[in-house]
Amino acid sequence: MATDSSSIPARIALALGLVVAALGVLVQFLVGVPGFPAIPPGPIILGVAAIVVLALPRRRWPLVVGLVAAVFVTGGGLIEGSVWGRLADPATFDVWSGAVLQWSGLLVALISGALAVRLAYRRPGAVR
């Protein structure tokens, strides 16, 4: 089923948030933050989800994929726990900027993803 035009801005914001978060994780990996695996899954998960969200604009389910990816990476980052130390230390600008990119992108993706899913799956004729 196709989405209506009211969810398009939220869809675009979701995709951009996922891309920014992926770039943030990638920056942290490239500057050598300890604890990253040889191939970090975060940028792959977020990047693929962003591509799916943008590549299938007439479908509703990619919005759920994007939101689930953002929730998954957010949960993993919070469980891992070292984000607070990276965000609290702007003296190491490269690491700090990657963490800020990651978490600001995730915040945008979570909010806009929830809004996009709500708009896409609302019942016709429901009170807005």
Side-chain angles (χ1 to χ4, degrees), residues 19-104:
V19 168
V20 168
L23 290 174
V25 176
L26 193 59
V27 165
Q28 293 175 75
F29 171 72
L30 293 175
V31 298
V33 172
F36 275 91
I39 299 175
I44 297 167
I45 293 167
L46 295 168
V48 168
I51 290 169
V52 168
V53 167
L54 289 175
L56 300 168
R58 306 213 18 105
R59 301 286 181 212
R60 297 184 296 181
W61 64 266
L63 300 172
V64 175
V65 170
L67 181 58
V68 167
V71 168
F72 180 74
V73 173
T74 300
L78 291 175
I79 290 169
E80 191 268 334
S82 67
V83 65
W84 308 115
R86 289 188 291 242
L87 286 173
D89 188 16
T92 55
F93 184 74
D94 52 357
V95 174
W96 180 81
S97 63
V100 167
L101 277 173
Q102 175 188 354
W103 290 96
S104 60

